[in-house]
Amino acid sequence: RRFSRKKPTTDFFGLFLDDETLEKLAHFTNSYYQLKKEEAKKNHKPIEDFQTNKTLMRQFLGSLIFMGIMKMRSLKDYFK
């Protein structure tokens, strides 16, 4: 597959993580949450509702990549 400089950076990201992979990551993340939710319920501990999807996974992983490239002094600096 050819990569052009005129294409958005999301095309480059898609070479490594396609929609199918992101959907699987979201599915397994949601499944893991359900297990933890049941565990918390048994221990009478409150747990916040959570649900993810491929779009949120793409955003999260993109943020992690960005944070690995652009080094900041503290975690708070990424969100200023």
Side-chain angles (χ1 to χ4, degrees), residues 2 21 31 35 43-44 71:
R2 288 199 115 131
T21 303
S31 296
L35 290 173
N43 295 323
H44 306 288
K71 299 291 183 189

Side-chain angles (χ1 to χ4, degrees), residues 48-61:
E48 223 175 282
D49 277 341
F50 175 82
Q51 190 74 17
T52 192
N53 57 44
K54 70 179 178 182
T55 301
L56 292 173
M57 292 302 293
R58 182 181 287 114
Q59 291 170 350
F60 175 70
L61 294 170

Side-chain angles (χ1 to χ4, degrees), residues 66-67 70-80:
F66 172 77
M67 291 167 76
M70 300 296 295
K71 299 291 183 189
M72 301 275 187
R73 288 182 182 212
S74 87
L75 189 58
K76 292 178 184 178
D77 290 338
Y78 290 103
F79 302 98
K80 286 184 177 180

Side-chain angles (χ1 to χ4, degrees), residues 20-45:
E20 183 181 348
T21 303
L22 290 168
E23 286 173 4
K24 286 180 183 179
L25 284 171
H27 170 77
F28 289 120
T29 300
N30 291 332
S31 296
Y32 180 76
Y33 165 76
Q34 289 300 323
L35 290 173
K36 288 301 193 181
K37 185 177 178 180
E38 291 301 317
E39 185 179 297
K41 192 185 255 185
K42 288 178 186 175
N43 295 323
H44 306 288
K45 294 181 180 179

